[in-house]
Amino acid sequence: MAFRWRFLVLASMMIAVLPLAGARAAEPQVPVLWDAKERLPKPDLSALPRLRFLTTTDFPPFNFLDSSGKLSGFHIDLARAICAELGIVDKCQIQALPWTELEGALEKGEGEAIIAGIAATPQSRQTYAFSRSYLQFPARFIMPKGKALVEPIFDKLRGKRVGVISGSAHERMLRDYFSTVQVVTFEGPEALYSDLKAGKIDAAFGDGMRFAFWLGGSDAAGCCHFAGGPYLAPEYLGTGMAIATRADDPALAAALDYALQEISVKGTFAEFYLRYFPVSFF
């Protein structure tokens, strides 16, 4: 299934228009995707016999087996919080299956929702009804410490050598929106990171979440920082992660929207985000 996001090859998903030259990007922060002033109707799920979330075990930090073999992760905590907000904790279950079995299990009624990183795209919307997006992934620049720029950075990047993965949506974004830089393409992230650390390029441009995990890991050795951004661009990279239900069950997707908004407004989402993404990619 082409919709799958895997951790090591995760495709970034965005929600807002990328700032053009001279504009300021948003300051890094915990993402807030819900309008606290919007009032979504509280659903009546008294007739719902159960809510079974289907997920996988191989998508860290979203869903994985911990050292004791317990199903854990961002998605697991989020699903439990959704059940609490809907007042149906006693009706909720979370079941892990191989990725290739998720769609079939949902179709056969063996679960009511998939929370496993399915991207809401025109293609996937033919198969599923989706909640609103609960997480997006901005494009970011990273630069060596002491050289990291702050917004506005368009003119400051003029003539700089910026590395990016060849053929990626990020390369297209970089060429379209930062046309004054010298684009240096790489076949994979390892070579990109190596040249950044060695000073062979001035900056790297790519997926913010992927960069965040590298910056927080031992391989980066504290060499680098985020610079500028975050940059959001749905026209290149889509709209983000959402919970999938059967296409004929939009009412459940709407109920999930209510719970997700409550989780955001109450600060629960921020708690989960900081727990699993200690280096914020916003």
Side-chain angles (χ1 to χ4, degrees):
M1 296 171 63
F3 322 137
R4 182 67 201 273
W5 292 3
R6 288 193 179 274
F7 172 61
L8 294 178
V9 292
L10 190 67
S12 303
M13 298 290 164
M14 320 302 174
I15 59 171
V17 176
L18 182 73
L20 299 179
R24 286 182 177 271
E27 290 299 317
Q29 58 185 331
V30 173
V32 178
L33 309 179
W34 299 83
D35 183 356
K37 296 180 180 180
E38 183 181 10
R39 291 292 178 262
L40 298 180
K42 186 173 183 178
D44 179 6
L45 299 181
S46 58
L48 183 72
R50 57 189 176 274
L51 176 52
R52 294 166 294 179
F53 285 98
L54 305 175
T55 190
T56 68
T57 61
D58 61 346
F59 191 30
F62 293 96
N63 22 282
F64 59 93
L65 297 177
D66 66 16
S67 58
S68 64
K70 181 181 178 181
L71 187 60
S72 304
F74 179 91
H75 281 153
I76 310 309
D77 289 347
L78 187 61
R80 289 172 178 154
I82 288 170
C83 292
E85 287 298 335
L86 294 175
I88 56 171
V89 172
D90 58 335
K91 297 181 179 182
C92 274
Q93 301 172 18
I94 305 172
Q95 181 180 357
L97 297 172
W99 170 257
T100 55
E101 297 180 14
L102 291 178
E103 181 178 340
L106 190 69
E107 290 178 350
K108 290 185 289 186
E110 296 174 356
E112 285 67 52
I114 298 175
I115 185 166
I118 294 178
T121 68
Q123 183 183 8
S124 62
R125 288 184 186 279
Q126 297 177 20
T127 303
Y128 305 106
F130 284 96
S131 70
R132 298 187 194 177
S133 176
Y134 55 86
L135 189 60
Q136 289 83 30
F137 302 91
R140 299 297 305 266
F141 287 101
I142 52 175
M143 300 182 72
K145 282 185 178 179
K147 297 182 180 180
L149 303 174
V150 296
E151 292 289 350
I153 67 172
F154 182 83
D155 288 332
K156 300 172 187 175
L157 284 171
R158 185 179 300 274
K160 300 289 188 183
R161 290 171 53 81
V162 179
V164 68
I165 300 300
S166 177
S168 66
H170 294 100
E171 181 187 355
R172 296 192 296 274
M173 289 173 60
L174 182 64
R175 292 185 184 279
D176 288 347
Y177 287 101
F178 295 91
S179 57
T180 64
V181 306
Q182 297 183 51
V183 177
V184 183
T185 59
F186 293 83
E187 294 302 315
E190 292 79 10
L192 174 67
Y193 297 145
S194 177
D195 276 16
L196 181 64
K197 290 172 65 176
K200 295 180 181 179
I201 55 176
D202 299 298
F205 185 73
D207 177 68
M209 190 186 80
R210 189 170 183 172
F211 281 171
F213 279 102
W214 182 73
L215 291 173
S218 58
D219 184 58
C223 73
C224 306
H225 279 311
F226 281 122
Y231 302 103
L232 308 171
E235 67 273 28
Y236 288 89
L237 304 168
T239 57
M241 282 185 165
I243 302 172
T245 67
R246 284 186 292 275
D248 62 356
D249 198 2
L252 178 56
L256 297 173
D257 286 342
Y258 169 83
L260 287 167
Q261 185 189 43
E262 292 297 304
I263 289 166
S264 175
V265 170
K266 293 176 181 178
T268 307
F269 183 89
E271 177 187 339
F272 295 161
Y273 176 82
L274 294 173
R275 179 184 304 167
Y276 290 101
F277 308 104
V279 178
S280 177
F281 45 89
F282 274 79

